[in-house]
Every structure is written in C-alpha cells, then in structure tokens.
C-alpha cells in the first residue's frame, strides 16, 4: 500500500527561526512529489514540485529536497514569518497518476 | 483568471438529510476531484471526474456520489448524512489527467 508519512505532526517556532519538515514515502513507481501549504479553512496551494532527477528546489524562503533512493523529502522554511503558520502537506504521485497524501505538519509561528 | 470556486462556503445539516456541494473548475480544466478533510486528518480522495465521466472513486460508501456537467462544473451529493461526515470538502481541478491540481477554498459541512 502506498503511504506518505510526515513528521513532526506539529511544531511551534519563534518568528525568524528556521524549521525543517520531513516526508517519507513508499509510493512506487514514483512520478513526482509536491509540497502544499494549507492555511486554516482554505484549500492547499502548491509550493514546490520535484521529479525523480531533482534534489533541491526553492520557492522564496521555502526549500524542498528529495532523496529518491531513500524515498525521503524535506521542506525547509528559512527566517519564518507569522504568515507561515499553516499546515504543510506532502503529496506523492505514483506512476498510475494516483496521489498519496500525507497527514500534514501543522506549523505555528509565534512572535 | 478565476480559480476554483466552491459553494456554499458553509453548510449545516442534520443527520439523515442530504447535502449538495458545488464546484466550478478553472476555465479550460476538464478534470475535477473531490476530497474530504476531517478535522485534524489528511485529505481523503473521494471522486474524480473527467470529461463528464466518473473515472475513479475512493474508499467511501455509495451514499457519496456526484456528477460532472457539460461545462465541467461538478456536484457532490452526500445522502443519509452521518455525524462523521462533518468535514471540509475540497474540490480541485486540473488540465487533463495527472497534471497539477488546483484547489478551491472548500465547503465546511457540519452535521448535527
């Protein structure tokens, strides 16, 4: 069964600090991996997409990494802002176009 | 360009009633997906429509159904509502199968 596991489930950081979110998956075959940001009560918005051959991709203060050999990805948030408070969801697409969703990591940034 | 829109924003029903949720995809998108997100849980895939046909459904009972209209908008119907159906229902659209899905703001369904 294809699974996507995210850790930690939640975290609290002070404004200006960095944090890293983890995503481990067992989806095979692998097509791509996306990180989404979901503000409370809103729909998810794509931050980055990574394919098999990509190791790192940045979107502003967000940097995603992918190790396709160990089936691990991370999302690093640099110099966090209050607006970064949200749920971050890792989504892996398999070769059959099916999407597998992680349960998400809830990030709370405090002033 | 307008994004995915959903209506209503909030919906309150009682057990046993029926709920109808609506979704309008981004112009040009032919695929519509429905997801359920219960409080504190991840997104659970419900249904996928493409070109007016149901292409796939998740592990949900038959009382969850829907359809896609000729203009590619979609409707999700939930019959015989149960308390555990309370959740945020998200609609997403994509330009064809397998491409990036763009999500709407969701409909918050509360079953009392």
């Amino acid at each position: 069964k294809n699974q996507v596991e995210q850790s930690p489930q939640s975290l609290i950081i002070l404004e200006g600090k960095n944090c890293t979110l983890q995503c481990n998956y067992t989806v095979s075959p692998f097509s791509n991996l996306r990180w989404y940001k979901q503000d409370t009560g809103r729909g998810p918005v794509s931050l980055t997409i990574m394919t098999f051959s990509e190791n790192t991709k940045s979107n502003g203060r967000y940097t995603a990494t992918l190790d396709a050999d160990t089936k691990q990805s991370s999302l690093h948030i640099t110099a966090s802002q209050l607006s970064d408070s949200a749920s971050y969801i890792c989504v892996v697409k398999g070769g059959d176009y099916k999407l597998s969703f992680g349960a998400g990591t809830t990030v709370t940034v405090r002033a | 360009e307008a994004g995915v829109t959903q209506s209503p924003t909030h919906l309150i029903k009682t057990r046993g009633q029926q709920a109808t949720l609506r979704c309008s995809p981004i112009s040009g998108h032919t695929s519509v997906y429905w997801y359920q997100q219960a409080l504190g849980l991840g997104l659970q895939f419900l249904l996928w429509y493409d070109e007016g046909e149901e292409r796939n459904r998740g592990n949900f009972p038959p009382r969850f159904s829907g359809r896609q209209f000729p203009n590619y908008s979609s409707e999700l119907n939930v019959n015989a509502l149960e308390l555990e159906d309370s959740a945020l229902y998200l609609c997403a659209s994509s330009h064809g199968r397998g491409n990036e899905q763009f999500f709407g703001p969701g409909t918050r369904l509360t079953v009392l």
Side-chain angles (χ1 to χ4, degrees):
Chain A
K1 179 182 177 182
N2 290 330
Q3 286 189 322
V4 178
E5 295 187 355
Q6 293 187 241
S7 62
Q9 184 175 13
S10 63
L11 65 91
I12 300 172
I13 57 174
L14 292 177
E15 188 177 15
K17 298 297 185 182
N18 305 334
C19 68
T20 300
L21 287 55
Q22 298 291 339
C23 173
N24 297 335
Y25 62 92
T26 61
V27 176
S28 182
F30 171 86
S31 180
N32 63 48
L33 183 149
R34 283 185 188 273
W35 282 95
Y36 282 89
K37 178 186 179 187
Q38 184 178 20
D39 293 315
T40 301
R42 306 295 297 273
V45 175
S46 179
L47 290 174
T48 64
I49 177 173
M50 302 186 73
T51 58
F52 186 89
S53 59
E54 296 174 300
N55 299 118
T56 304
K57 184 169 283 188
S58 293
N59 177 1
R61 295 179 296 99
Y62 299 102
T63 299
T65 65
L66 175 66
D67 185 332
D69 291 331
T70 61
K71 297 187 176 181
Q72 296 180 325
S73 177
S74 66
L75 181 69
H76 187 76
I77 304 176
T78 303
S80 61
Q81 300 177 359
L82 296 178
S83 59
D84 293 330
S85 294
S87 178
Y88 292 83
I89 303 170
C90 175
V91 183
V92 181
K93 184 165 81 170
D96 57 357
Y97 299 106
K98 288 185 179 178
L99 299 182
S100 297
F101 290 82
T105 292
T106 300
V107 174
T108 302
V109 181
R110 290 187 175 164
Chain B
E1 179 184 285
V4 177
T5 60
Q6 293 186 244
S7 64
T9 304
H10 293 90
L11 188 58
I12 299 175
K13 294 285 186 177
T14 57
R15 286 179 58 189
Q17 285 189 313
Q18 181 207 32
T20 298
L21 289 63
R22 297 179 177 83
C23 171
S24 291
I26 291 172
S27 178
H29 285 188
T30 60
S31 280
V32 171
Y33 311 80
W34 287 96
Y35 297 90
Q36 181 195 68
Q37 188 177 37
L39 191 63
L41 297 180
L43 277 75
Q44 301 295 319
F45 168 70
L46 268 166
L47 291 159
W48 167 35
Y49 292 95
D50 183 62
E51 297 285 357
E53 299 286 331
E54 182 180 304
R55 302 296 183 180
N56 198 9
R57 66 179 292 129
N59 188 26
F60 281 85
R63 57 190 186 83
F64 287 84
S65 65
R67 53 181 172 167
Q68 186 178 33
F69 300 98
N71 66 355
Y72 303 115
S73 67
S74 178
E75 194 174 87
L76 174 68
N77 295 294
V78 188
N79 294 320
L81 285 166
E82 301 178 2
L83 297 178
E84 51 266 35
D85 296 334
S86 295
L88 180 68
Y89 287 84
L90 291 164
C91 170
S93 74
S94 70
H95 183 64
R97 181 187 187 191
N99 293 316
E100 179 181 359
Q101 295 183 21
F102 295 84
F103 287 83
T107 292
R108 172 71 63 186
L109 173 64
T110 301
V111 182
L112 302 175

